[in-house]
Amino acid sequence: MVIDKFSSFRGELSVPGDKSISHRAVMFGSLAQGDTRIRHFLTGADCLSTIGCFRAMGIDIEQNEDEVIVHGKGIHGLSAPAKTLDVGNSGTTIRLLSGILAGQAFDSMITGDASICRRPMKRIISPLLSMHADVRSKRGNNCAPLVIHGRTLSGIHYQSPVASAQVKSCVLLAGMYADSPVSVTEPVLSRNHTEIMLKALGAEISSEGTTVTIQPDPVLTAGEILVPGDISSAAYFIAAALLTPGSELLLRNVGTNPTRYGFLRVCEAMGASIERMNETSVGEPSCDLLIRSGSLHCTEIGGVLIPTLIDELPMIAVMACFAEGTTVIRDAKELRVKESDRISVMSENLRKMGAEIEETEDGMIIHGGKPLKGTVVDSHLDHRIAMSLAVAGGLCEGPLSIRGAECVNISYPGFFEDLKRLNI
Ligand code: S3P
């Protein structure tokens, strides 16, 4: 994919449905009694992998463009898959589904693509073993494939060493199959979509500070789920409009759950003008965002803010290159174990374009204001890297070639079409 310099961003965009919420809607809809209608479902490859896994366990799922109907069978209604479950590139699918599989009355094996098979699974294997689950890494390396012998689990209070919604959700979902309540305490609160949706479907689940507790054996009742637009997908267009002179862009129906909207806070801290309009809250909060271009300055990002913008940090790194002053990102070691090592891959690609970036163990120090120029960069087949680089390509001098750009299909199938349509 070759990206030329942007002209200006104008018009309106309804960004695709939230990836985290779409995954959960299919999973919890499958475990609910009755039919769950999901509107504005994200039809990206990751969420299609989740649909594939639940179909393989006997759940009938209809899909019509971005509307999905899940014919749920209750928390004990899944059947043994005939083959190894394949999550593709999706970390959310493998980690959440492993919690569910640990409590089933059947055995299963779950795996994914090369990136998934490199990602750390000890973070879910450890708490599941403490619940007396029978889960092991097939190759003994704490990575996928995972072999799971389903059984009744024991309740625990798990003190998670990482702020990870995937770990928290895995343990809570396993908790539905435990013999007593299960609690998870995180060092910093991560996204709470699991808590919100399970509660709406009828589970007894409560939060206090960074601790969540679930009561076992809930009856989940199917309902209608409206998925808000994904703020992580909106971030690329917010950044592009902010940094392309003469832009005015309206983004419709963007999810603004406080555990996810750190990117907006950072934009504002960098001096951006973002107007929020038409705020609503149907299960999850959302609003329209009006973005006008303007100049940005440096900021410092760390601590409790990190989990609320973890997936937007590659985009923020690009923005920092075009901002005045030195931006510091710290406490973001988790970036090293995403679809790629996002600290090293972003630093390497942006440096190749002329940026001045120091890589640290848990973040980046970015000296803004150096002119970036087009060259050949590589996504490392990481969708968020590809989209962040595409925005960098439209802001730099000369065309930028992105290798492996097709991986945007993981979370945003029409990304390049939308980028082209709004750049006028
Ligand atoms: C997600 C949680 C985050 C995030 C990922 C989606 C989720 O991962 O980076 O893209 O849907 O729960 P971690 O739980 O590893 O922080």
Side-chain angles (χ1 to χ4, degrees), residues 20 24 92 95 123 163-166 191 310-311 334 338:
S20 293
R24 286 160 172 82
T92 302
R95 296 208 178 103
R123 52 181 59 200
S164 157
Q166 293 177 355
R191 63 190 69 191
I310 189 75
D311 292 341
E334 276 293 301
K338 294 293 178 187

Side-chain angles (χ1 to χ4, degrees), residues 36-332:
T36 292
R37 180 162 161 244
I38 309 167
R39 286 188 293 142
H40 202 44
F41 178 80
L42 170 66
T43 53
D46 267 10
C47 299
L48 298 181
S49 294
T50 294
I51 289 187
C53 288
F54 279 86
R55 279 185 178 147
M57 292 186 288
I59 303 297
D60 180 14
I61 302 174
E62 295 171 60
Q63 200 202 327
N64 241 322
E65 293 189 8
D66 72 351
E67 183 168 308
V68 168
I69 299 172
V70 182
H71 300 282
K73 292 187 176 174
I75 74 161
H76 301 289
L78 301 178
S79 43
K83 295 189 298 197
T84 299
L85 295 166
D86 183 1
V87 305
N89 190 244
S90 175
T92 302
T93 312
I94 194 164
R95 296 208 178 103
L96 270 62
L97 187 47
S98 295
I100 296 170
L101 293 172
Q104 298 304 310
F106 55 77
D107 298 341
S108 54
M109 184 147 96
I110 187 164
T111 193
D113 67 8
S115 154
I116 276 293
C117 291
R118 284 193 298 269
R119 296 184 67 186
M121 293 300 148
K122 188 167 180 203
R123 52 181 59 200
I124 57 159
I125 296 174
S126 288
L128 289 175
L129 291 180
S130 310
M131 297 175 77
H132 301 119
D134 186 347
V135 179
R136 68 184 173 86
S137 149
K138 186 162 186 266
R139 300 186 184 122
N141 59 356
N142 283 316
C143 293
L146 302 178
V147 181
I148 302 175
H149 299 292
R151 56 196 292 184
T152 300
L153 306 172
S154 310
I156 48 161
H157 182 169
Y158 186 58
Q159 196 83 39
S160 177
V162 279
S164 157
Q166 293 177 355
V167 171
K168 169 174 65 178
S169 303
C170 170
V171 176
L172 292 172
L173 290 168
M176 300 200 297
Y177 302 94
D179 56 9
S180 59
V182 163
S183 301
V184 183
T185 300
E186 303 185 272
V188 174
L189 187 65
S190 67
R191 63 190 69 191
N192 61 359
H193 306 303
T194 295
E195 296 90 305
I196 291 174
M197 200 183 292
L198 282 181
K199 195 169 191 167
L201 297 178
E204 232 182 286
I205 186 164
S206 58
S207 299
E208 211 184 306
T210 62
T211 300
V212 193
T213 305
I214 189 164
Q215 303 298 320
D217 210 18
V219 175
L220 304 181
T221 308
E224 188 148 311
I225 297 172
L226 175 61
V227 181
D230 197 326
I231 193 166
S232 299
S233 299
Y236 307 107
F237 288 91
I238 295 173
L242 285 175
L243 286 163
T244 308
S247 299
E248 186 172 306
L249 187 64
L250 182 63
L251 301 179
R252 293 264 183 221
N253 178 36
V254 180
T256 48
N257 179 318
T259 63
R260 290 288 299 284
Y261 69 19
F263 179 74
L264 296 182
R265 292 177 61 185
V266 165
C267 289
E268 279 153 10
M270 294 177 92
S273 145
I274 300 180
E275 205 177 313
R276 297 182 196 201
M277 299 176 299
N278 303 322
E279 300 197 30
T280 57
S281 194
V282 185
E284 293 266 354
S286 68
C287 71
D288 297 341
L289 299 174
L290 181 64
I291 322 294
R292 291 193 187 91
S293 48
S295 55
L296 301 182
H297 54 75
C298 58
T299 187
E300 295 209 1
I301 307 163
V304 295
L305 202 53
I306 293 295
T308 70
L309 47 65
I310 189 75
D311 292 341
E312 288 66 78
L313 284 167
M315 188 64 260
I316 291 172
V318 173
M319 290 163 71
C321 292
F322 293 93
E324 198 193 305
T326 298
T327 293
V328 180
I329 300 171
R330 60 170 78 88
D331 305 322

